[in-house]
Every structure is written in C-alpha cells, then in structure tokens.
C-alpha cells in the first residue's frame, strides 16, 4: 500500500479540532520520507552507472603512468644531438653537452631557465632547444605502445593490471535492463515532490497550479517507488553495490599477475580501450574501397547472443561477412577469425536463423566446439566420430538446429537430401579446398551452393600460385572468379586486390594488434660433419629427397648430429629462463630422437617436462589434451610436434620459443606453426629458431621458395604495386621442387 496515500487518507478522517496540526505533521514526515527514498534510489542508480566511467579513468591514469615511464626511459638514453633534426638553422650542442646535459631527457629535466644560464648558450638557442625537446617527447609519446611485461612486473604495471581488473568488473556490475530511464523518471519527480514535502516550499509557491504539481509529483513518486520495476531495481542495486565493493579491493600482486597470465586477451583488450590504442581505421577495415567499408561500418551487429566482447577490427570482420554474404576472411593467423565467424552466426541467430554449419580439419573439431560453448549462447553439435552416433547427431541438428561442427571427410558422406536450410556455412582452413578435382573440394562447393551465406577462413589463401586463390573465390562468387582469369598479363597485384575486394578481407598482425609482443627470428646455421655429413652424401647420391632433409638428425645422438646439438643448447637456454619451447618437424623419426634426447635428462637440460610427440596419428581430443598438459606444466617444458599436426588449429600461447627442425616446402606451413604461439593472448616475445645446415638441401629450399613468399605478399597481403600476371608467380609443384633440389645438390657434390 502506498505510504503517502495512506497517511493522507487517515488525515482526512480526523474530525477533532485539535488534530489538524498533528495530521499535517504526519503527512509532512511521510512526504519527506518518500522524497528521501526516491533520491536514494535515484542516486544509487546514478552511482552504479557512473562507476565504469570512473574506474576507466583510474585505469587511464594508471596507463599514462606506465607510458610516461617508458617515454622517460627512452628520452633519457636519446642523445641530445637528435634534437638537431627538429631545429631549423644552425645550433651547437657543445656547451650543453659540456654542462653534462647529454640526453633529451636531461634537457627536459633541466628546464629552460637553467639552460639559459649555461655559458655560451643564448636565450634564443635555449628556447629553440627546449621547444625541440618537447616536440621530441610528443613524438616518442605518440609512438610508444604500452605492453604489459610479465617478466618485469614493475609496481607501475602491477597497478595498471589492478586498475584494468577493476574496470572490467565495474562494467558488468549492473546486469539486466538499462536502469537509466528509471533514473530519469525519478529525477523528473524529485524536484516538484521536494517542494510538496516542504512547508516552506509550499508556502512560497504562490501559483495554485505549481502547488498541485508538487502534490501530484509526490503521489507519482510514491507510486513509482512502490512499483514492481523499482522493487526489482532495488535488488539489482544491492547486488551491484556489493560487487562494486569487491571490485574496489585490490588483490595481492601475485594473484593479479596470475589472473593476467590466465586471461591476457581480456586484459589487453581493456588496455587498448583505455589507452585509445585502436589501430587506424583503414588497417582495421583491411584497406577496403570506401563504399564497401562504409556499408559494413554502418551495419548494426546484434551481439546479444555473444558472451565475449570484440575488438574493433573483429567487429568489422563479422559485419563484412554479413553484408557481403559470401566471403573469404583472410586475416593473418592469430587475429581471431573464429571469434568473427561466431559473432556473425550469433547475429543471424538473434534474427531467427536456426542452422549453422562449420567444416574444419579433424584436428580442430574439439577446439571449435569449445569456442562455441565458451563465447556464445548457441547450441553446438559435434557431427564427427563413430558412424551411428554421428548420424544421430546429424539428424538431431537437422531437427533442432544449432551449430554443426564437422570435418571435410564427414561432409562428403552427409546425405544430399538432408532437409536443412543453412543460414551460414563456415569453412575453416579453407585453403584445403583449393584443388578443384579433390573430393572434399567438390563436397564443400556443393554445400556452399546450397547456403546463402558462406564464410571461408584462411590465413594462407594462396600457397603456390594465384590460381589457387581464384579457385577459392570461385566457390563463393563464380562470376567474380571469371574476371580474375585474364591471359593478357594486364592484371597486376594492385588490380588483383581491387578485383577481389568485394569477397576478400585481410588484416595483418602489425596493423591491428598493438599489444602483440615482438617476434625475433634467427637462422641457426650449423655445419654438416662426421656421421651426419656421410649420411647426407649417401642420400644425395641415391636421390633420396626425404633422407636428405633429415640427415642432420640421422645418427640420433647429440655428438653425431649438429642440429641436435644446437637444439639442445637452445632448449637449455630457454629452460634457464623458465620459458616453454615447441619443436616442430615434418618427420616422425626426428621427433622421436628429440623426445628421447630431451626426456633423458642429460645433455644440460635436466628437469624439462617433455610432452609428445604430437603427431597426425593422435586423435584430435588427445592433441588438445597434450597442449593442455604443456600449458599447465610448471616451469620449463617442451612440446614436440609434427608441424602439420600442431601447426593447425591449436593455440599454444604458453610457448615463447619455437624451433623449426628443417625448412618446409611451403612457407605458409611454417607461418601457421609460428602463429600457434605468436597470436592474440601471447604475453612474451616469441623467439623463432630455424635450424639450417650450410651447403645442403636447407640452403637450396630457402632459395627456391623465395618466390612463393613474394607472390603471397603481392597478391594476398596489401603491398606496394608490382607488375606481374597471376600465372607468372607459379613456382611449380612440390614434385618439381624436389627434382630441382636433388639435381642441384648432386651437381654440387660432384663438383666438390
């Protein structure tokens, strides 16, 4: 029952001449209580709504402290002579250096007045030097990118993590419908209601209409406070205030860093937001033509069924898939192509779509099911495994909908008469369907033709020749693919990218991941000698290409194998720093040798936890379990993996050292493998070591594959214009590469 109405009713019933004053007093107290309650609810809503902005500002200031320290450190080591490039005219820095001011940081610390007092430094000169120093600071500040360094753990970075954690928690304290309209409604009543609750307020309100408005506002405020919506908001506010109190408590530093290492993607996303570090718009939009980019930008993406927030470029990628409908998302590996496809599916599901199909290699089926469950509210069905169970799941998907995750092989066996309208088909590792004669390519093409929206995901859309790219486009837009087949050599790289813009979007790591740690690549050249050299010579004379590639590991002992010796040294150094290592090789016997040597505990690397070998013969579920074991291992650990099995679909951010035992015949295979670790979520610098033998097959492979890298950069990545026809960059088949390499090595050895 309404408190004010009840009090007024009781007052009206009083008939005694001595009661009016008491009745008026009681009514005034009730009115003031209602106004006080309304103001409390209103202010509580405002406080909860303001909390994220306040905590964001705290995080922003913490970010600036870390950034300013980085800027100061750089300026303190920057020679003062660097200011010369910013000063027009002739300026001598000799008197300044003689006074002990030899860095730009020292100039800023000294200040203009002190500079003027230095002998032989004129007032005008001091002014120009100071202006240049401040200009240099602005330039350094603009180019400085804050990265959280878990190996440094400075107090300033710890405070930044604490502030980001608080911001994250305050953003989600008020779950449910937006209470802002209610706060506005209460605010509209509070002003006039406060006058109605005050005797003086009513006394000095001369207008009869105003007095009635005050009484009406009191009644309306009382009714609103007694409504179900306010009752519900009171409960939510109580929970929110409790959460805010917990969010304001800072855990110990060790716990903060553990949380960061467990969720680096979340923290770095928050860091980008509070630091204003979003990439330039053109890079995030893949340098698309302006008209397409604008259509995508204004598309309203429904994220209600998505549990995870998106980066700006990921939001654009999901919209691109929806606006253009049949596209290739060619983002460089590690940028979250899976998240973008899930966001697109969630949008369609929110609009009423029911059936989605994901086709991927068997090795990543488990990862896909995990990602759907982790990041969305969609129901996922794994159409893979034993026949009867798979068929039952397939029928369940047809009847009830959801996201069906299957493999290229299973897709071939799915019945053609399956009564399903697929809202979106997603093909992961889509470069697997570049061969038009392959059965899996034909199966994907048939299902793509039946689906309105098709999204191909691949970081390597072209491995050997541009013709492969054309095949992928043909699955999606046959008419566009036909326009790419120009025999007269008129299509250069720039025109090719313009032609595929409606169907192809690619962003590269350096363009959009400002927080990604650097990647340092080292070619570890060793000399073939002893048993390894004799094994190599024997393989060359026999024309045994595969034996030539792994001869450096042939003896199977550290003493007899130059590559194995260097591998042990690299692992030992990484173990001393507590870093985790992934060793990739194409060959199973090489992996067995590495596992045996490292697992023995000898050769200077005792106590290293060795996981593997992870090979193509291991079921996908067990592969993920091996990665989980490697990730959970305390201290130094090594994951030994076949490059084809571990280089696709698995996320291995726990590793920060990668060893590639021999050069691969397709550059993209190495890039995929490296991207398993050097991707979003990596918090340490990634060191890549390529083991190579001089005067051997390794050197020949690197030389012959250089054209493949150039072709990919020209056509599949954004690059400077270079004149070339698509077919001109065909580096030939793998069989031809083998023949050329063997012939070259046989000729070299005979000449020697």
């Amino acid at each position: 029952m309404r408190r004010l109405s009840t009090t007024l009713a009781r007052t009206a019933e009083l008939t005694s001449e001595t009661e009016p004053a008491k009745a008026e007093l009681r009514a005034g107290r009730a009115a003031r209580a209602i106004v006080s309650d309304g103001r409390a609810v209103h202010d509580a809503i405002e406080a909860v709504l303001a909390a994220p902005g306040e905590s964001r500002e705290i995080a922003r200031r913490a970010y600036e402290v870390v950034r300013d320290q980085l800027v100061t450190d750089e300026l303190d080591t920057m020679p003062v002579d660097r200011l010369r490039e910013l000063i027009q005219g002739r300026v001598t820095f000799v008197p300044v250096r003689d006074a002990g001011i030899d860095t730009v940081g020292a100039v800023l610390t000294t200040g203009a007045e002190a500079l003027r007092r230095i002998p032989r430094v004129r007032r005008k000169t001091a002014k120009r030097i100071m202006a240049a120093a401040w200009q240099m600071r602005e330039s350094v500040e603009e180019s400085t990118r804050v990265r959280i360094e878990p190996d440094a753990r400075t107090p300033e970075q710890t405070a930044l993590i604490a502030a980001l954690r608080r911001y994250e928690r305050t953003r989600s304290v008020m779950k449910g419908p937006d209470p802002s309209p209610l706060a506005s409604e209460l605010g509209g009543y509070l002003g006039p209601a406060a006058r109605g609750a005050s005797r003086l307020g009513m006394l000095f309100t001369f207008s009869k209409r105003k007095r009635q408005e005050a009484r009406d506002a009191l009644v309306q405020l009382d009714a609103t406070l007694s409504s179900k919506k306010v009752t519900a908001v009171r409960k939510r506010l109580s929970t929110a205030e409790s959460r805010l109190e917990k969010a304001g408590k800072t855990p110990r530093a060790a716990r903060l860093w553990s949380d960061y290492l467990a969720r680096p993607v979340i923290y770095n996303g928050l860091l980008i937001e509070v630091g204003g570090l979003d990439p330039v718009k053109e890079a995030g939009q893949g340098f698309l033509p302006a008209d397409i980019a604008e259509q995508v930008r204004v598309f309203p993406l429904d994220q209600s069924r998505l549990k995870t927030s998106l980066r700006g470029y990921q939001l654009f990628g999901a919209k691109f898939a929806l606006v253009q409908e049949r596209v290739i998302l060619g983002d460089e590996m590690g940028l979250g192509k899976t998240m973008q496809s899930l966001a697109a599916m969630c949008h369609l599901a929110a609009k009423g779509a029911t059936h989605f199909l994901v086709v991927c290699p068997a090795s990543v089926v488990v990862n896909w099911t995990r990602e759907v469950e982790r990041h969305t509210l969609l129901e996922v069905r794994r159409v893979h495994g034993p026949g009867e169970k798979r068929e039952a799941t397939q029928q369940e998907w047809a009847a009830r909908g959801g996201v069906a995750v299957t493999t290229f092989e299973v897709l071939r066996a799915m019945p053609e008469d399956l009564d399903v309208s697929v809202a979106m088909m997603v093909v992961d590792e889509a470069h697997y369907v570049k061969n038009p004669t392959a059965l899996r390519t034909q199966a994907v093409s048939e299902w793509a033709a039946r689906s309105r929206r098709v999204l191909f995901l691949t970081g390597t859309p072209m491995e050997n020749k541009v013709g492969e790219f054309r095949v992928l486009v043909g699955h999606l837009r046959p008419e566009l693919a036909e326009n790419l087949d120009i025999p007269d050599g008129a299509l250069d790289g720039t025109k090719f990218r313009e032609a595929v813009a409606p169907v192809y979007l690619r962003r590269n790591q350096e363009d959009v991941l400002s927080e990604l740690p650097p990647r340092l690549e080292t070619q570890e050249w060793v000399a073939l000698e002893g048993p390894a050299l004799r094994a190599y010579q024997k393989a060359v004379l026999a024309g045994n290409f595969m034996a030539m590639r792994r001869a450096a590991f042939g003896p199977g002992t550290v003493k007899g194998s130059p590559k194995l010796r260097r591998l042990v040294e690299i692992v030992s150094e990484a173990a001393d720093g507590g870093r985790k290592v992934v060793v990739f090789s194409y060959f199973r016997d090489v992996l067995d040798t590495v596992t045996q040597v490292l697992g023995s505990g000898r050769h200077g690397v005792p106590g290293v936890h060795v996981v593997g070998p992870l090979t193509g013969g291991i079921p996908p579920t067990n592969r993920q379990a091996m990665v989980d074991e490697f990730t959970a291992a305390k201290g130094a650990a090594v994951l030994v993996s076949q490059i084809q099995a571990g280089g696709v679909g698995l996320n291995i951010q726990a590793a920060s050292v990668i060893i590639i035992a021999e050069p691969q015949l397709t550059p993209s295979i190495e890039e995929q493998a490296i991207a398993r670790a050097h991707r979003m979520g990596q918090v340490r610098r990634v060191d890549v070591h390529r083991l190579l033998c001089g005067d051997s097959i390794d050197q020949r492979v690197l030389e012959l594959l250089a054209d493949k890298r150039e072709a990919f950069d020209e056509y599949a990545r954004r690059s400077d214009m270079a004149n070339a026809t698509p077919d001109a960059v065909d580096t030939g088949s793998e069989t031809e590469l083998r023949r050329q390499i063997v012939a070259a090595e046989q000729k070299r050895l005979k000449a020697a």
Side-chain angles (χ1 to χ4, degrees):
M1 185 178 292
R2 300 174 187 171
R3 293 160 293 174
L4 183 63
S5 300
T6 302
T7 303
L8 292 176
R10 289 178 180 174
T11 302
E13 292 172 357
L14 295 174
T15 55
S16 173
E17 292 295 329
T18 61
E19 289 297 319
K22 294 181 180 180
E24 184 180 351
L25 180 61
R26 285 195 294 271
R29 287 174 179 170
R32 287 191 291 273
I34 290 169
V35 171
S36 178
D37 187 27
R39 186 169 287 114
V41 174
H42 173 271
D43 291 350
I45 294 174
E46 293 288 320
V48 169
L49 293 176
E54 293 170 356
S55 60
R56 186 183 188 281
E57 181 57 30
I58 292 172
R60 171 72 184 179
R61 291 198 295 268
Y63 161 82
E64 289 174 346
V65 169
V66 175
R67 183 203 59 197
D68 290 349
Q69 185 60 57
L70 293 172
V71 171
T72 298
D73 291 345
E74 182 172 348
L75 294 175
D76 283 346
T77 59
M78 185 181 291
V80 69
D81 285 342
R82 282 284 305 277
L83 297 179
R84 194 184 306 277
E85 60 196 57
L86 300 177
I87 300 176
Q88 294 182 353
R90 188 173 180 179
V91 172
T92 177
F93 289 93
V94 174
V96 177
R97 289 198 302 270
D98 290 345
I101 305 171
D102 55 1
T103 68
V104 176
V107 169
L108 292 169
T109 301
T110 301
E113 288 299 325
L115 278 181
R116 293 190 190 109
R117 292 195 293 269
I118 296 175
R120 295 180 293 152
V121 176
R122 298 178 179 178
R123 179 180 295 273
K124 184 178 180 180
T125 300
K127 184 177 180 180
R128 292 167 68 189
I129 290 175
M130 282 302 303
W134 281 112
Q135 186 178 345
M136 180 65 75
R137 179 181 173 83
E138 290 177 3
S139 176
V140 171
E141 183 177 300
E142 185 177 340
S143 63
T144 296
R145 288 293 177 265
V146 172
R147 292 189 179 95
I148 298 175
E149 302 286 353
D151 295 327
R153 303 197 179 193
T154 64
E156 293 81 9
Q157 292 213 352
T158 302
L160 175 56
I161 292 176
L164 293 173
R165 178 180 180 274
R166 178 177 179 179
Y167 176 44
E168 177 198 16
R169 297 197 166 196
T170 57
R171 289 199 308 181
S172 59
V173 294
M174 195 65 172
K175 295 181 179 179
D178 182 12
S180 299
L182 177 59
S184 298
E185 181 182 348
L186 292 173
Y189 297 145
L190 282 172
R195 290 196 301 272
S198 167
R199 294 181 64 186
L200 287 176
M202 292 294 281
L203 181 63
F204 288 101
T205 299
F206 301 107
S207 167
K208 183 178 181 180
R209 181 177 60 83
K210 289 285 187 182
R211 286 197 293 271
Q212 187 58 47
E213 284 180 359
R215 295 188 187 98
D216 291 343
L218 268 171
V219 173
Q220 290 170 330
L221 178 60
D222 185 30
T224 300
L225 292 172
S226 302
S227 65
K228 290 182 179 180
K229 62 181 178 182
V230 172
T231 301
V233 165
R234 288 182 194 274
K235 293 179 181 179
R236 291 170 57 204
L237 285 172
S238 177
T239 302
E241 288 168 349
S242 176
R243 288 174 176 165
L244 281 176
E245 184 178 356
K246 291 180 180 179
K249 296 179 180 178
T250 303
R252 290 179 299 177
R255 184 178 173 187
L256 283 171
W257 282 101
S258 294
D259 191 39
Y260 170 74
L261 291 174
R263 304 185 303 131
V265 173
I266 300 297
Y267 275 100
N268 284 318
L270 295 169
L271 181 65
I272 287 173
E273 181 184 341
V274 302
L277 303 178
D278 279 333
V280 295
K281 182 176 70 174
E282 290 77 9
Q285 295 178 358
F287 301 96
L288 287 176
D291 57 337
I292 296 178
E294 181 61 17
Q295 291 177 42
V296 173
R297 188 189 65 79
V298 299
F299 183 85
L301 186 71
D302 190 324
Q303 302 180 60
S304 60
R305 301 200 180 187
L306 197 64
K307 297 180 184 177
T308 305
S309 59
L310 301 174
R311 302 281 182 95
Y313 73 88
Q314 292 176 329
L315 189 70
F316 187 87
K319 292 180 177 183
F320 177 79
L322 293 165
V323 170
Q324 299 300 100
E325 295 192 345
R326 304 174 70 84
V327 300
I328 300 171
L329 182 57
D331 284 349
E332 194 170 13
M333 289 164 286
L335 295 183
K337 293 187 287 293
T338 299
M339 274 302 307
Q340 296 174 68
S341 60
L342 291 178
M345 286 188 276
C346 283
H347 171 88
L348 294 172
K351 303 303 180 185
T354 56
H355 290 75
F356 306 94
L357 177 63
V358 174
V359 185
C360 61
S363 59
V364 295
V365 168
V366 174
N367 188 63
W368 262 100
T369 57
R370 282 187 178 186
E371 295 295 281
V372 175
E373 292 170 344
R374 179 184 176 190
H375 298 296
T376 79
L377 299 176
L378 305 179
E379 194 169 4
V380 62
R381 306 188 193 282
R382 184 179 169 188
V383 185
H384 185 53
E388 291 184 4
K389 182 179 179 181
R390 184 183 70 221
E391 290 175 6
T393 305
Q394 182 178 284
Q395 293 300 325
E396 185 180 14
W397 171 63
R400 299 178 54 189
V403 181
V405 181
T406 191
T407 65
F408 293 102
E409 291 70 24
V410 173
L411 185 70
R412 288 167 47 193
M414 290 178 71
E416 296 181 3
D417 59 351
L418 195 65
D419 187 19
V420 174
S421 176
V422 178
M424 173 172 278
M425 177 184 182
V426 177
V427 181
D428 195 9
E429 305 294 345
H431 50 277
Y432 281 25
V433 295
K434 64 190 178 185
N435 181 359
T437 63
L439 293 177
R440 65 184 175 193
T441 301
Q442 295 170 10
V444 166
S445 184
E446 290 171 4
W447 275 88
R450 296 169 54 181
S451 306
R452 176 180 172 182
R453 297 176 183 84
V454 183
L455 176 56
F456 280 6
L457 307 179
T458 172
T460 55
M462 183 187 68
E463 294 181 302
N464 291 316
K465 55 185 179 180
V466 177
E468 297 171 352
F469 197 117
R470 191 183 295 118
V471 171
L472 296 183
V473 175
H475 294 310
L476 305 169
R477 300 274 294 275
E479 77 287 355
L480 195 152
E482 291 177 2
N483 295 333
L484 300 180
D485 193 8
I486 299 178
D488 61 3
L491 189 65
D492 64 22
T494 301
K495 293 178 181 177
F496 182 88
R497 291 192 301 275
E498 291 175 354
V500 300
V503 74
Y504 179 63
L505 175 66
R506 179 182 175 89
R507 281 76 57 89
N508 300 309
Q509 285 185 345
E510 66 267 23
D511 294 329
V512 296
L513 283 190
S514 60
E515 85 276 14
L516 193 67
R519 163 176 150 182
L520 180 63
E521 298 194 24
T522 305
Q523 292 186 341
E524 303 283 354
W525 290 96
V526 298
L528 274 172
E529 57 189 17
L533 177 59
R534 290 191 289 274
Y536 181 74
Q537 291 171 335
K538 181 179 178 180
V540 173
L541 293 176
N544 189 331
F545 181 79
M546 291 303 191
M548 291 166 62
R549 291 185 66 195
R550 60 186 190 274
F553 286 92
T557 63
V558 172
K559 184 176 180 181
S561 170
K563 282 192 177 182
L564 195 53
R565 281 200 302 273
R566 183 59 189 134
L567 185 148
V568 168
E569 291 170 356
I570 295 169
V571 171
S572 179
E573 183 178 349
D576 289 342
R579 301 175 72 184
K580 295 184 177 181
V581 183
V582 180
V583 178
F584 285 118
S585 176
Y586 180 87
F587 300 101
R588 176 62 189 266
D589 55 352
V590 171
L591 299 175
D592 290 339
T593 297
V594 171
T595 303
Q596 182 181 3
V597 168
L598 295 179
S600 67
R602 300 191 300 272
H603 312 295
V605 285
V608 174
H609 184 72
V610 180
V611 180
L614 191 161
T615 67
I618 294 175
T621 303
N622 294 355
R623 295 185 201 181
Q624 185 61 54
M626 294 173 75
V627 173
D628 293 343
E629 177 188 349
F630 172 72
T631 301
K634 301 296 183 182
V638 179
L639 174 65
V640 183
S641 174
Q642 269 190 312
I643 197 163
Q644 304 97 315
V648 176
L650 299 174
N651 298 332
I652 320 176
Q653 293 100 319
S656 59
V657 178
I658 295 173
I659 301 175
I660 299 178
E662 70 284 320
Q664 305 304 305
L665 300 184
T666 303
S668 60
I669 291 179
E670 290 186 13
E671 290 299 318
Q672 282 182 308
I674 294 169
R676 298 305 102 204
H678 193 244
R679 62 193 297 115
M680 189 188 304
Q682 178 58 259
V683 298
R684 293 180 171 88
R685 184 193 72 207
V686 173
D687 293 331
V688 180
H689 300 267
R690 289 186 169 88
L691 301 182
L692 303 164
C693 287
D695 292 326
S696 75
I697 186 173
D698 292 349
Q699 195 165 335
R700 305 290 89 76
V701 170
L702 294 183
E703 292 168 356
L704 288 172
L705 293 183
D707 285 345
K708 282 191 177 185
R709 293 186 183 275
E710 291 179 6
F712 183 85
D713 287 342
E714 170 60 18
Y715 286 90
R717 291 172 63 103
R718 178 176 171 84
S719 63
D720 295 332
M721 184 170 68
N723 293 324
T725 65
D727 292 335
V729 297
D730 183 358
T731 57
S733 66
E734 187 172 307
T735 301
E736 178 61 19
L737 277 176
R738 294 184 184 190
R739 189 197 64 76
Q740 293 178 31
I741 291 171
V742 170
E745 279 300 277
Q746 289 177 336
K747 181 178 180 181
R748 185 183 66 81
L749 286 183
K750 287 179 181 178

